[in-house]
């Protein structure tokens, strides 16, 4: 039996971070590691992780809920894990840091977002962990600016099951599923409806795009608190005939290859697993130069990179690719290559294992 690893992932849904944890749990189990998973009662990962981890479901309200600390202290002392790995930020990073200090466990935290923190908070939080894993070089740079020593940070890129997304587009199904004519071009966006993802910018840019091309439909996949506001904006500007709100889709491997283009006008982004999925699916991408996005989208290779917040640049980049089918095909091939070379599950799993083993051998 390999190392015993206690994981903490408190997300309810299988968004990017929780999906990465599932992939890691599965890969570790295949390699003989013993996984213990602390997760939210009733969460999606609780169901998926059965058989690859011993589940410790708990009820927790997030950042202000001190019950998480009590649960973590009890489980760490009972299970005596070789590695204590904190994955999510729904209170887990704060209470997990305190639990690590109180138990002196070999503790690792994965940082998935690139938003800056006060220096004192970053140093206290990450000072509790023996190692910080970032999912992009962009996040690593943020932590270093906050005073976290470079030698304490390991960059392990997020990953996907590339073969799961590299499939033939079923455009007949896509047309029926979303009521899109086969002659129309589909521009997708896959993101939670939250301010930093930039949905408002896309809707604003869409006004100009639709005035120049009537054969474009925008398919927005995801849920979130801003969804009603974005829907209202679309209706207010008379664009509802060109927008489809598709909700949270668990069939993205089937949906993504059918997009002609994926757009991600984010203001902040740790990496953007949805962009890796799109690249693997052979979809050219228009995205902003923030966080870890340039580690996925290479300007002029598998997509176009624009400045954040620049609506005019967003409109022109989308139009450039919509008007150039051969360029889109060339970028599609490049995207598949980049996804396979840089973002494989094997590399992500082995990267985490390397961190674990370095901590075991350092004592």
């Amino acid at each position: 039996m390999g190392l015993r690893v206690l994981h903490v992932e408190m997300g309810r849904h299988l968004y990017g971070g929780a999906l990465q944890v599932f992939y890691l749990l599965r890969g570790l189990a295949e390699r003989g590691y013993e996984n213990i998973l602390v997760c939210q009662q009733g969460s999606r990962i609780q169901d998926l992780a059965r058989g690859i981890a011993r589940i410790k479901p708990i009820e927790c309200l997030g950042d202000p809920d001190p019950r998480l600390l009590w649960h973590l202290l009890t489980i760490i002392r009972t299970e005596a894990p070789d590695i204590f790995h904190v994955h999510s930020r729904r209170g887990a990073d704060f209470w997990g840091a305190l639990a690590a200090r109180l138990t002196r466990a070999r503790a690792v935290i994965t940082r998935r977002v690139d938003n800056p923190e006060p220096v004192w908070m970053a140093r206290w939080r990450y000072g509790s962990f023996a190692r910080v894993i970032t999912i992009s070089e962009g996040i690593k740079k943020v932590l270093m600016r906050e005073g976290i020593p470079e030698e304490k940070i390991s960059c392990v890129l997020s990953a996907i099951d590339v073969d799961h997304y590299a499939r033939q587009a079923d455009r007949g199904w896509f047309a029926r599923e979303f009521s899109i004519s086969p002659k129309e071009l589909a521009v997708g966006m896959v993101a939670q409806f939250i301010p930093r993802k930039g949905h408002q910018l896309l809707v604003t840019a869409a006004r100009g795009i639709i005035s120049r091309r009537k054969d474009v439909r925008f398919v927005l996949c995801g849920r979130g608190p801003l969804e009603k506001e974005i829907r209202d904006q679309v209706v207010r500007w008379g664009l509802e005939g060109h927008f489809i709100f598709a909700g949270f889709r668990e069939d993205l491997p089937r949906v993504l290859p059918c997009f002609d283009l994926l757009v991600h006008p984010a203001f902040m982004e740790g990496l953007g697993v949805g962009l890796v999925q799109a690249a693997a699916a052979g979809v050219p991408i228009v995205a902003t130069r923030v966080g870890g996005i340039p580690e996925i989208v290479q300007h002029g290779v598998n997509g176009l990179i624009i400045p954040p917040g620049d609506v005019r640049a967003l409109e022109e980049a989308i139009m450039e690719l919509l008007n150039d089918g051969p360029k889109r095909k060339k970028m599609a091939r490049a995207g598949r290559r980049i996804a396979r070379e840089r973002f494989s599950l094997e590399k992500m799993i082995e990267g985490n294992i390397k961190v674990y083993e370095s901590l075991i051998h350092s004592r």
Side-chain angles (χ1 to χ4, degrees):
M1 181 66 70
L3 298 178
R4 175 181 295 180
V5 185
L6 173 61
H7 304 265
V8 183
E9 170 53 57
M10 299 304 295
R12 288 192 176 277
H13 306 287
L14 205 65
Y15 295 139
L19 183 60
Q20 292 298 303
V21 176
F22 167 70
Y23 286 147
L24 178 59
L25 291 173
R26 188 176 64 185
L28 292 175
E30 290 171 351
R31 290 160 175 79
Y33 283 67
E34 181 182 357
N35 294 309
I36 306 163
L37 174 64
V38 177
C39 61
Q40 190 77 254
Q41 179 72 49
S43 62
R44 185 76 173 107
I45 197 169
Q46 178 183 353
D47 297 328
L48 288 178
R50 298 187 191 280
I52 58 175
R54 287 195 287 116
I55 313 296
K56 302 285 184 179
I58 63 174
E59 291 285 353
C60 178
L61 300 178
D63 288 6
D65 193 340
R67 291 180 298 173
L68 181 55
L69 174 61
W70 181 83
H71 286 299
L72 292 178
L73 291 175
T74 301
I75 294 169
I76 291 171
R77 288 165 178 161
T78 302
E79 298 290 347
D82 298 297
I83 299 291
F84 172 45
H85 192 160
V86 175
H87 293 277
S88 72
R89 288 172 57 84
R90 294 189 70 252
D93 54 346
F94 176 79
W95 298 116
L98 191 52
R101 284 181 182 270
L102 294 174
T103 61
R104 303 185 68 182
R106 292 187 188 93
V108 178
I109 185 169
T110 294
R111 164 94 176 202
R112 301 188 184 278
V113 294
D114 65 337
N115 53 294
E117 298 174 291
V119 171
W120 66 267
M121 181 181 296
R123 290 181 177 177
W124 180 88
R125 189 193 314 275
Y126 301 113
S128 303
F129 295 93
R131 194 68 59 84
V132 182
I133 298 174
T134 64
I135 64 167
S136 71
E137 291 290 343
I139 299 174
K140 180 178 179 179
K141 291 176 183 177
V142 170
L143 291 181
M144 290 174 61
R145 287 197 296 268
E146 294 173 349
I148 309 304
E150 183 175 7
E151 60 271 18
K152 190 172 183 174
I153 307 171
S154 297
C155 180
V156 179
L157 296 175
S158 287
I160 64 166
D161 185 343
V162 175
D163 292 333
H164 197 44
Y165 292 87
R167 59 175 69 182
Q168 188 71 29
D170 186 350
R171 296 192 180 275
W173 167 83
F174 184 76
R176 294 189 300 273
E177 179 74 9
F178 296 102
S179 299
I180 294 177
S181 166
K183 296 182 180 180
E184 291 179 307
L185 293 169
V187 176
M189 181 171 175
V190 180
Q192 295 181 65
F193 283 82
I194 53 179
R196 65 185 178 90
K197 298 298 185 179
H199 289 84
Q200 298 96 330
L201 294 178
L202 177 58
V203 177
T204 303
R207 298 178 76 182
I209 293 168
I210 293 167
S211 70
R212 298 158 73 179
R213 289 198 66 145
K214 303 297 184 184
D215 60 343
V216 181
R217 300 286 292 278
F218 297 87
V219 183
L220 309 186
C221 299
R223 296 285 189 198
L226 285 186
E227 182 176 352
K228 183 180 184 303
E229 180 179 324
I230 300 302
R231 284 178 179 269
D232 290 345
Q233 182 181 357
V234 166
V235 172
R236 188 165 59 249
W237 289 353
L239 306 177
E240 58 266 40
H242 292 271
F243 274 81
I244 297 166
F245 290 82
F248 179 73
R249 305 287 303 201
E250 292 195 348
D251 58 350
L252 281 179
R254 193 176 188 186
V255 173
L256 281 172
C258 299
F259 289 152
D260 295 285
L261 178 66
L262 188 91
V263 180
H264 197 71
F267 293 98
M268 304 178 73
E269 189 64 79
L271 182 66
V273 172
L275 302 181
V276 183
Q277 294 167 338
V283 182
I285 301 166
V286 173
T288 44
R289 189 180 294 107
V290 298
I293 289 178
E295 297 171 51
I296 304 169
V297 185
Q298 298 177 15
H299 184 72
V301 178
N302 68 317
L304 298 176
I305 293 284
I306 61 169
D310 191 333
V311 173
R312 182 63 177 172
L314 178 62
E315 178 182 332
E316 292 305 319
I318 293 173
M319 286 299 304
E320 178 181 338
L321 294 188
L322 289 179
N323 290 334
D324 195 335
K327 180 179 285 188
R328 293 202 308 272
K329 290 181 180 178
K330 184 178 179 180
M331 288 181 169
R333 292 192 295 270
R336 292 190 183 100
R337 174 181 53 78
I338 291 169
R340 195 169 296 279
E341 290 177 356
R342 301 202 64 211
F343 300 96
S344 71
L345 292 178
E346 186 74 18
K347 286 187 176 181
M348 183 272 287
I349 294 162
E350 293 300 328
N352 279 273
I353 289 175
K354 184 177 180 180
V355 172
Y356 297 164
E357 292 183 344
S358 71
L359 295 183
I360 294 297
H361 297 321
S362 67
R363 288 191 177 184

